[in-house]
Amino acid sequence: MLSYIAITMSSPPPLPDPVRLTVRTSSGSYTIEIAPESSRRLSALLDAAGVPARRFVVSTQTVWRFHGERLQGVTAEDPILIPDGERFKHLATVGRIYDALIRAGADRASAIVAVSGGVTGDVAGFAAATYLRGIPVVQVPTTLLAQVDSAVGGKVGVNHPLGKNLIGAFHPPATVVIDPELLATLPRREFRAGLYEVVKYGVIASRPLFDLTSQNLAALFARDASALLPVVAESCRIKAAIVEQDERETGVRRTLNFGHTAGHALEAVTKYRRFRHGEAIGYGMLAASALAAARGVFPEADRAELASLITKMGPLPAVADLSAAEVVEATKRDKKVIAGRLHFVLPAAIGSTTIVGDVTLEELTEALVGIGLKG
Ligand SMILES: NC(=O)c1ccc[n+]([C@@H]2O[C@H](COP(=O)([O-])OP(=O)(O)OC[C@H]3O[C@@H](n4cnc5c(N)ncnc54)[C@H](O)[C@@H]3O)[C@@H](O)[C@H]2O)c1
Ligand SMILES: [Zn+2]
């Protein structure tokens, strides 16, 4: 008997359409190009954006090993590879970038191209902000967190032994080039950490983004470009719109801190070792929404929906051994307490927030216990 095996040659799905955003700043404007394979067209994109022709790539061993090849043509200069990780986000690493630039004779007609996650983007951006009183920086973010958050907005800087991000500048990028394909090599935990910030944007400003994320979790984790592109683009659009209204964080930009009061405190009490930043924000959003629901300003159905999405995204490091009182103490050190009351970004619905100045320490303690900390 003859049997036939049908082989269907399926063609790869079409690439999603590129998205280009423009961000206005007090010193001009820049574009964010979000497109699959944009990193392969980097030279042309930088030429089009008017980036000076002498370009110095700043990256890390890890990122360069995975993606250096596709970026070979960007510059004739050797890449400046700096050590990776938050513990190297300090002035000595900036010094290494200065050394390399000076040795190569980089002048005011030179630019830095940061190809990296948020740590190196912040460090390279700070080097660019200060070298010869400022040369252009291009951000080519390679983590989800950097693509949706740190590469947009112009904040650059480093840590000091006494605190995070204490030394910095506002130095908006000359342009931002986002290639979702670079995320294919990102460890799942790092990817998830960035996705909590996406959820944050959904809660503060966009019910459609929240739904898009929650309905496409599997495709997002599979790094499917057609699922990633709209989610990254909408996140950048929200951050850019907020930053445009409030470049120097005096008002509306504070809404971006949703989930960050408790989140920063959780990071601090665990000495920045237990959580990826986004994971701490996952808990911070749960705490803020529990607090808002207890006050009756956030519908219970929305609170449950947010909690269910965060749970669905995957496991978070344990918090059962952490004392709520200690975490509340840490928020005080974060200078957010005025006369025993906390400033807090609370969700009002999925898609909008309200900023209040009267959260009591007891309310926060109760919310933290509610999400699993020790009473
Ligand atoms: N400037 C801002 O507005 C702003 C906003 C948010 C966060 N930040 C800063 O961002 C930093 C965190 O950034 P992050 O989460 O990107 O961390 P990160 O830069 O440390 O990157 C995380 C890890 O992913 C690896 N990696 C990066 N790209 C990869 C890729 N494509 N494939 C495989 N591995 C890859 C890195 O080597 C690193 O080990 C913090 O220092 C934070 O303060 C800044
Ligand atoms: Zn954050």
Side-chain angles (χ1 to χ4, degrees):
M1 202 171 86
L2 285 173
S3 63
Y4 295 91
I5 300 169
I7 299 173
T8 44
M9 300 285 289
S10 60
S11 51
L15 292 175
D17 290 337
V19 172
R20 176 173 294 178
L21 305 170
T22 302
V23 188
R24 286 183 306 272
T25 75
S26 52
S27 54
S29 69
Y30 60 92
T31 58
I32 308 174
E33 175 92 10
I34 307 150
E37 303 201 332
S38 52
S39 59
R40 295 191 189 278
R41 294 183 284 115
L42 193 54
S43 285
L45 289 168
L46 301 194
D47 292 346
V51 174
R54 202 147 179 233
R55 296 164 189 163
F56 292 87
V57 166
V58 176
S59 189
T60 66
Q61 292 285 0
T62 315
V63 170
W64 205 245
R65 180 159 43 85
F66 283 125
H67 301 294
E69 204 198 316
R70 68 164 77 200
L71 294 153
Q72 284 300 339
V74 174
T75 173
E77 311 289 342
D78 288 335
I80 303 170
L81 300 183
I82 59 174
D84 203 1
E86 189 72 34
R87 72 202 165 93
F88 293 108
K89 185 175 164 180
H90 51 39
L91 281 173
T93 309
V94 180
R96 287 177 60 164
I97 300 175
Y98 296 148
D99 293 347
L101 292 173
I102 294 165
R103 257 189 257 114
D107 57 15
R108 294 191 60 82
S110 306
I112 286 180
V113 181
V115 181
S116 63
V119 166
T120 304
D122 279 8
V123 173
F126 185 72
T130 45
Y131 183 69
L132 301 178
R133 295 191 190 80
I135 60 172
V137 65
V138 172
Q139 296 285 355
V140 184
T142 65
T143 63
L144 181 58
L145 182 118
Q147 295 194 346
V148 299
D149 193 351
S150 60
V152 178
K155 281 194 197 175
V156 294
V158 294
N159 302 328
H160 183 276
L162 297 180
K164 253 179 77 78
N165 294 327
L166 291 183
I167 299 156
F170 281 98
H171 192 55
T175 188
V176 183
V177 177
I178 298 181
D179 184 350
E181 291 187 350
L182 297 177
L183 303 181
T185 53
L186 195 63
R188 191 177 169 91
R189 187 176 174 195
E190 292 295 343
F191 182 81
R192 187 164 56 227
L195 208 54
Y196 293 109
E197 298 279 4
V198 171
V199 171
K200 176 194 79 177
Y201 291 123
V203 176
I204 64 176
S206 169
R207 168 54 104 161
L209 174 61
F210 184 91
D211 291 342
L212 200 60
T213 308
S214 107
Q215 286 155 11
N216 292 291
L217 268 191
L220 289 167
F221 275 108
R223 321 298 157 85
D224 175 342
S226 48
L228 275 168
L229 191 126
V231 159
V232 171
E234 180 65 2
S235 299
C236 288
R237 193 191 59 73
I238 293 168
K239 175 142 190 200
I242 291 174
V243 166
E244 266 187 359
Q245 289 174 56
D246 180 15
E247 201 175 343
R248 286 175 180 262
E249 194 164 342
T250 51
V252 66
R253 194 162 177 168
R254 294 201 187 118
T255 60
L256 293 170
N257 289 335
F258 169 56
H260 283 59
T261 305
H264 282 153
L266 281 168
E267 289 183 281
V269 300
T270 53
K271 306 201 160 40
Y272 298 92
R273 293 203 190 107
R274 184 178 303 189
F275 304 100
R276 294 298 300 146
H277 169 72
E279 294 173 334
I281 300 319
Y283 276 120
M285 291 191 288
L286 289 174
S289 60
L291 200 160
R295 282 189 161 206
V297 299
F298 187 43
E300 171 54 28
D302 286 21
R303 189 208 60 76
E305 206 181 341
L306 171 59
S308 136
L309 173 57
I310 290 177
T311 308
K312 245 189 347 184
M313 283 167 66
L316 283 168
V319 287
D321 60 321
L322 301 175
S323 127
E326 228 180 281
V327 173
V328 171
E329 268 310 300
T331 61
K332 288 195 205 163
R333 281 194 294 276
D334 215 11
K335 297 187 200 72
K336 283 176 189 125
V337 181
I338 301 161
R341 306 275 159 140
L342 284 160
H343 269 258
F344 230 97
V345 183
L346 294 179
I350 288 175
S352 72
T353 55
T354 159
I355 299 184
V356 296
D358 63 348
V359 168
T360 65
L361 303 180
E362 293 72 36
E363 274 181 288
L364 178 58
T365 310
E366 203 173 301
L368 289 168
V369 171
I371 65 162
L373 280 81
K374 274 196 303 202

PDB file of all heavy atoms in Angstrom, residues 21 34 38 41-42 174 248 317:
ATOM      1  N   LEU A  21       8.359  56.518  16.792  1.00  0.00           N
ATOM      2  CA  LEU A  21       7.805  57.524  17.711  1.00  0.00           C
ATOM      3  C   LEU A  21       8.756  58.705  17.760  1.00  0.00           C
ATOM      4  O   LEU A  21       9.961  58.539  17.591  1.00  0.00           O
ATOM      5  CB  LEU A  21       7.679  56.946  19.124  1.00  0.00           C
ATOM      6  CG  LEU A  21       6.876  55.653  19.283  1.00  0.00           C
ATOM      7  CD1 LEU A  21       7.060  55.088  20.689  1.00  0.00           C
ATOM      8  CD2 LEU A  21       5.401  55.921  19.019  1.00  0.00           C
ATOM      9  N   ILE A  34      11.156  51.282  16.323  1.00  0.00           N
ATOM     10  CA  ILE A  34      10.908  49.956  16.874  1.00  0.00           C
ATOM     11  C   ILE A  34      10.588  49.046  15.693  1.00  0.00           C
ATOM     12  O   ILE A  34       9.522  49.171  15.077  1.00  0.00           O
ATOM     13  CB  ILE A  34       9.732  49.973  17.874  1.00  0.00           C
ATOM     14  CG1 ILE A  34       9.973  51.064  18.930  1.00  0.00           C
ATOM     15  CG2 ILE A  34       9.539  48.604  18.539  1.00  0.00           C
ATOM     16  CD1 ILE A  34       8.714  51.675  19.477  1.00  0.00           C
ATOM     17  N   SER A  38      15.936  45.913  12.996  1.00  0.00           N
ATOM     18  CA  SER A  38      16.465  47.285  12.916  1.00  0.00           C
ATOM     19  C   SER A  38      17.938  47.321  13.322  1.00  0.00           C
ATOM     20  O   SER A  38      18.691  48.163  12.837  1.00  0.00           O
ATOM     21  CB  SER A  38      15.649  48.238  13.797  1.00  0.00           C
ATOM     22  OG  SER A  38      15.537  47.721  15.099  1.00  0.00           O
ATOM     23  N   ARG A  41      20.189  47.248  10.492  1.00  0.00           N
ATOM     24  CA  ARG A  41      20.207  48.461   9.666  1.00  0.00           C
ATOM     25  C   ARG A  41      20.704  49.658  10.471  1.00  0.00           C
ATOM     26  O   ARG A  41      20.413  50.812  10.157  1.00  0.00           O
ATOM     27  CB  ARG A  41      18.793  48.765   9.154  1.00  0.00           C
ATOM     28  CG  ARG A  41      18.252  47.731   8.178  1.00  0.00           C
ATOM     29  CD  ARG A  41      16.881  48.158   7.662  1.00  0.00           C
ATOM     30  NE  ARG A  41      15.830  47.951   8.644  1.00  0.00           N
ATOM     31  CZ  ARG A  41      15.112  48.909   9.211  1.00  0.00           C
ATOM     32  NH1 ARG A  41      15.309  50.172   8.914  1.00  0.00           N
ATOM     33  NH2 ARG A  41      14.185  48.620  10.105  1.00  0.00           N
ATOM     34  N   LEU A  42      21.441  49.366  11.535  1.00  0.00           N
ATOM     35  CA  LEU A  42      21.778  50.425  12.481  1.00  0.00           C
ATOM     36  C   LEU A  42      22.538  51.588  11.822  1.00  0.00           C
ATOM     37  O   LEU A  42      22.200  52.755  12.039  1.00  0.00           O
ATOM     38  CB  LEU A  42      22.586  49.832  13.645  1.00  0.00           C
ATOM     39  CG  LEU A  42      22.765  50.710  14.870  1.00  0.00           C
ATOM     40  CD1 LEU A  42      21.421  51.202  15.402  1.00  0.00           C
ATOM     41  CD2 LEU A  42      23.492  49.935  15.978  1.00  0.00           C
ATOM     42  N   ALA A 174      20.335  60.664  21.173  1.00  0.00           N
ATOM     43  CA  ALA A 174      20.213  61.231  19.817  1.00  0.00           C
ATOM     44  C   ALA A 174      19.136  60.458  19.069  1.00  0.00           C
ATOM     45  O   ALA A 174      18.382  61.022  18.275  1.00  0.00           O
ATOM     46  CB  ALA A 174      21.551  61.111  19.086  1.00  0.00           C
ATOM     47  N   ARG A 248      11.578  66.463  33.894  1.00  0.00           N
ATOM     48  CA  ARG A 248      12.451  66.388  35.071  1.00  0.00           C
ATOM     49  C   ARG A 248      11.768  65.893  36.341  1.00  0.00           C
ATOM     50  O   ARG A 248      12.198  66.165  37.461  1.00  0.00           O
ATOM     51  CB  ARG A 248      13.118  67.746  35.304  1.00  0.00           C
ATOM     52  CG  ARG A 248      14.180  67.931  34.246  1.00  0.00           C
ATOM     53  CD  ARG A 248      14.843  69.256  34.252  1.00  0.00           C
ATOM     54  NE  ARG A 248      15.825  69.261  33.183  1.00  0.00           N
ATOM     55  CZ  ARG A 248      17.126  69.018  33.351  1.00  0.00           C
ATOM     56  NH1 ARG A 248      17.606  68.763  34.549  1.00  0.00           N
ATOM     57  NH2 ARG A 248      17.940  69.042  32.318  1.00  0.00           N
ATOM     58  N   PRO A 317      10.303  35.530  43.638  1.00  0.00           N
ATOM     59  CA  PRO A 317      11.059  35.089  44.820  1.00  0.00           C
ATOM     60  C   PRO A 317      10.185  35.214  46.088  1.00  0.00           C
ATOM     61  O   PRO A 317       9.304  36.063  46.146  1.00  0.00           O
ATOM     62  CB  PRO A 317      12.225  36.081  44.865  1.00  0.00           C
ATOM     63  CG  PRO A 317      12.349  36.604  43.476  1.00  0.00           C
ATOM     64  CD  PRO A 317      10.971  36.613  42.901  1.00  0.00           C
TER      65      PRO A 317
END
